[in-house]
Amino acid sequence: MGRLAALGIPAARVDAVFISHLHWDHTGGLAALLGLRAQTNPQVPLAIYGPPGTAEMVKGLLASMKPGAASGYGVPGEGTIDLDKLTSVTELRDRASLAYRGVKVSARNNTHYSFAPESGLAERFEALSFRFDLPGRSIVYTGDTGPSSAVEELAAGADLLVAEMMDVEDTVARTRSFNPDMPDSRSLAMEKHLREHHLLPADVGQMAARAKVKGVVVTHFAGHERDDPAHFEYLRQIAAHYAGPVVIANDLDVF
Amino acid sequence: MGRLAALGIPAARVDAVFISHLHWDHTGGLAALLGLRAQTNPQVPLAIYGPPGTAEMVKGLLASMKPGAASGYGVPGEGTIDLDKLTSVTELRDRASLAYRGVKVSARNNTHYSFAPESGLAERFEALSFRFDLPGRSIVYTGDTGPSSAVEELAAGADLLVAEMMDVEDTVARTRSFNPDMPDSRSLAMEKHLREHHLLPADVGQMAARAKVKGVVVTHFAGHERDDPAHFEYLRQIAAHYAGPVVIANDLDVF
């Protein structure tokens, strides 16, 4: 929400949200967005698109808002806030496609999860990558994913590939140092998840080259910042596979 | 969450949260805090203290996290996240008092709401101000409130009064300009709420003088920023009633 404010975009003017998957570092801001909209402009539903489970998540968020809606502002005679009108949720699955205000949106299930076949979880959950075909420009957002031929298909020929990227060793070391009490079992599961379900710099380069995209912006980046010599090494590792322009984005960059 | 990160405080090291009232600009960040804790250190419950309705709010947030907990990270054999162990909620009412790790915490119901007597809402909801008596230092946080003798009693002789403050005309004009579609009924209710249930600069000065506090930090401030001549006028209006030191805080200031 702070980033929206820094860009001068009021919460009431956000019309739609596309959610790639239900990990909380990708959904944690939705409660604040719904709350601020309800406080200022509750008449226009926020269109929320996301993978299976999105409706249940939003239902919980709206339930969390019931006490606040019941109390209101304590002004006798004030209107009521109808939480049922605050959102409009559409769940998307692999190969979903929709038209949103002149933009064609396409989704593919990527490799951010690798559920055990007998768990039944693959039928229940997906992690999505999105392609937005705007008039004159095509942008693909990987969301979180490991290497994925589905995402390469989705991104074929796109003007811009907005790709996640991960320095696994650095991220594991940093997370452990911030959370010294983290159980080993969780730390090991996290490392396996990071290695298999995210993109290393070389993976980003290979994906961009195979999809023949016209440029790459790296986001959701976990690793050394620009003040560290290791940072430039990431660009070198991408360039070993992909010859086009690459930027590792900072917050609030616009491309 | 961005502010915590800027201060170098990991989410896992936040032990407790005190919520003054259930307006969403005061609760919108809780979902992100719970999510990040669940992703890093789910074994230590976050202690959440707040007014009546807090338990229902947290229950909704935890319900919203169920799909994310069920999918986990898609790593076969990973542990499960027990959402029931993520929080420990204590609801507080007027005159509640508790000891938290050597800090005495006291709460008073303030005047942020003025429910119609026949509505029954005053029995269901309260907006709290908190006093924290630490070893050697006492800090009072008004939360959101209008002028209130209860808060003045709570703040009596405190080292620091952390007080909200509002420039009503400026806030109404700004909110309307950001939300041109806001219904008039909501805008009028908002203005009535702001005038009666928040502190004007003179109110802050009077509260500080009556409570005989040793200093004032203004927070939750809505009005002109320091680059506007009107800003200094707020300090003048406070000083007309209170002779002690006053600072209108910026984010990340430490006192």
Side-chain angles (χ1 to χ4, degrees):
Chain A
M1 296 301 296
R3 297 312 196 200
L4 272 183
L7 287 168
I9 301 175
R13 290 202 195 144
V14 175
D15 302 312
V17 171
F18 290 84
I19 296 171
S20 58
H21 64 298
L22 301 183
H23 285 156
W24 301 304
D25 55 321
H26 292 255
T27 63
L30 188 56
L33 180 60
L34 293 179
L36 192 49
R37 287 177 65 91
Q39 287 183 302
T40 54
N41 191 17
Q43 306 303 315
V44 181
L46 178 70
I48 301 174
Y49 299 90
T54 300
E56 184 182 350
M57 176 186 66
V58 173
K59 189 178 169 193
L61 292 178
L62 295 176
S64 82
M65 296 174 73
K66 278 188 185 170
S71 66
Y73 293 87
V75 179
E78 69 181 303
T80 55
I81 292 170
D82 188 347
L83 294 175
D84 290 336
K85 292 183 178 163
L86 200 58
T87 62
S88 145
V89 177
T90 306
E91 291 193 351
L92 306 174
R93 299 208 68 143
D94 189 34
R95 298 182 188 274
S97 174
L98 61 104
Y100 180 81
R101 297 198 181 181
V103 178
K104 184 187 171 197
V105 184
S106 317
R108 290 302 301 270
N109 184 19
N110 62 41
T111 61
H112 190 49
Y113 299 125
S114 56
F115 296 116
E118 71 278 12
S119 69
L121 289 169
E123 286 72 50
R124 288 178 60 195
F125 297 106
E126 294 186 355
L128 301 176
S129 302
F130 292 111
R131 179 177 180 129
F132 302 91
D133 285 296
L134 297 87
R137 199 177 194 208
S138 51
I139 301 170
V140 172
Y141 167 58
T142 63
D144 285 8
T145 186
S148 160
S149 57
V151 179
E152 289 168 11
E153 281 174 27
L154 183 73
D159 294 311
L160 201 60
L161 174 66
V162 181
E164 69 126 290
M165 196 170 81
M166 180 73 62
D167 179 335
V168 174
E169 287 81 6
D170 184 65
T171 303
V172 169
R174 211 178 289 212
T175 306
R176 294 219 67 156
S177 78
F178 282 158
N179 303 280
D181 301 331
M182 196 175 195
D184 280 350
S185 62
R186 182 159 299 278
S187 175
L188 288 169
M190 181 185 76
E191 182 164 350
K192 182 175 168 63
H193 168 69
L194 296 180
R195 286 197 185 282
E196 297 181 3
H197 304 156
H198 286 280
L199 298 175
L200 306 178
D203 297 328
V204 171
Q206 287 171 8
M207 180 179 281
R210 288 180 188 142
K212 296 185 172 60
V213 299
K214 300 193 179 71
V216 173
V217 168
V218 171
T219 183
H220 191 277
F221 168 63
H224 292 286
E225 299 295 331
R226 290 188 198 207
D227 56 3
D228 190 298
H231 191 84
F232 191 74
E233 178 68 12
Y234 304 134
L235 292 175
R236 203 195 60 75
Q237 290 169 11
I238 297 172
H241 301 276
Y242 175 68
V246 179
V247 173
I248 300 177
N250 285 327
D251 277 9
L252 304 179
D253 281 351
V254 176
F255 298 92
Chain B
M1 297 302 296
R3 297 313 194 201
L4 272 184
L7 288 168
I9 299 175
R13 291 204 194 144
V14 175
D15 302 312
V17 171
F18 290 84
I19 296 171
S20 59
H21 64 298
L22 301 183
H23 285 157
W24 302 303
D25 54 321
H26 292 257
T27 62
L30 189 56
L33 180 60
L34 293 179
L36 191 48
R37 286 178 65 91
Q39 287 183 301
T40 54
N41 191 17
Q43 305 304 315
V44 181
L46 179 70
I48 302 173
Y49 298 90
T54 300
E56 184 181 350
M57 176 186 67
V58 173
K59 189 178 167 191
L61 292 179
L62 295 177
S64 81
M65 296 174 73
K66 278 188 187 170
S71 66
Y73 293 86
V75 179
E78 71 181 302
T80 56
I81 292 171
D82 187 348
L83 294 175
D84 291 336
K85 291 185 179 163
L86 201 58
T87 62
S88 145
V89 177
T90 306
E91 291 192 350
L92 306 174
R93 298 208 70 143
D94 188 33
R95 298 183 189 273
S97 175
L98 62 105
Y100 180 80
R101 296 197 182 183
V103 178
K104 184 187 171 195
V105 184
S106 317
R108 289 302 302 268
N109 184 19
N110 62 42
T111 62
H112 190 49
Y113 300 124
S114 56
F115 296 115
E118 70 280 10
S119 69
L121 289 170
E123 285 72 51
R124 287 178 59 194
F125 297 107
E126 295 186 352
L128 301 176
S129 302
F130 292 111
R131 177 177 182 129
F132 301 91
D133 284 296
L134 297 85
R137 200 177 193 206
S138 51
I139 302 170
V140 172
Y141 167 59
T142 64
D144 285 9
T145 185
S148 160
S149 56
V151 179
E152 289 167 10
E153 281 173 27
L154 184 74
D159 294 310
L160 201 60
L161 175 66
V162 181
E164 69 126 293
M165 196 170 83
M166 180 75 62
D167 179 335
V168 174
E169 288 81 3
D170 183 68
T171 303
V172 169
R174 213 179 287 211
T175 306
R176 294 219 68 154
S177 77
F178 282 156
N179 303 280
D181 301 331
M182 196 175 196
D184 280 350
S185 61
R186 181 159 300 276
S187 175
L188 288 168
M190 181 184 74
E191 182 163 350
K192 182 175 168 63
H193 168 69
L194 295 180
R195 285 198 185 282
E196 298 180 3
H197 303 157
H198 286 279
L199 299 175
L200 306 178
D203 298 327
V204 171
Q206 287 170 9
M207 179 179 281
R210 289 179 188 142
K212 298 186 171 58
V213 299
K214 301 192 177 72
V216 173
V217 169
V218 171
T219 183
H220 192 276
F221 168 63
H224 292 286
E225 299 295 331
R226 291 187 196 206
D227 56 0
D228 190 298
H231 191 84
F232 191 75
E233 179 67 12
Y234 304 133
L235 292 176
R236 205 195 58 75
Q237 291 169 11
I238 297 172
H241 302 275
Y242 174 68
V246 178
V247 173
I248 301 178
N250 286 327
D251 277 8
L252 304 180
D253 281 351
V254 176
F255 299 93

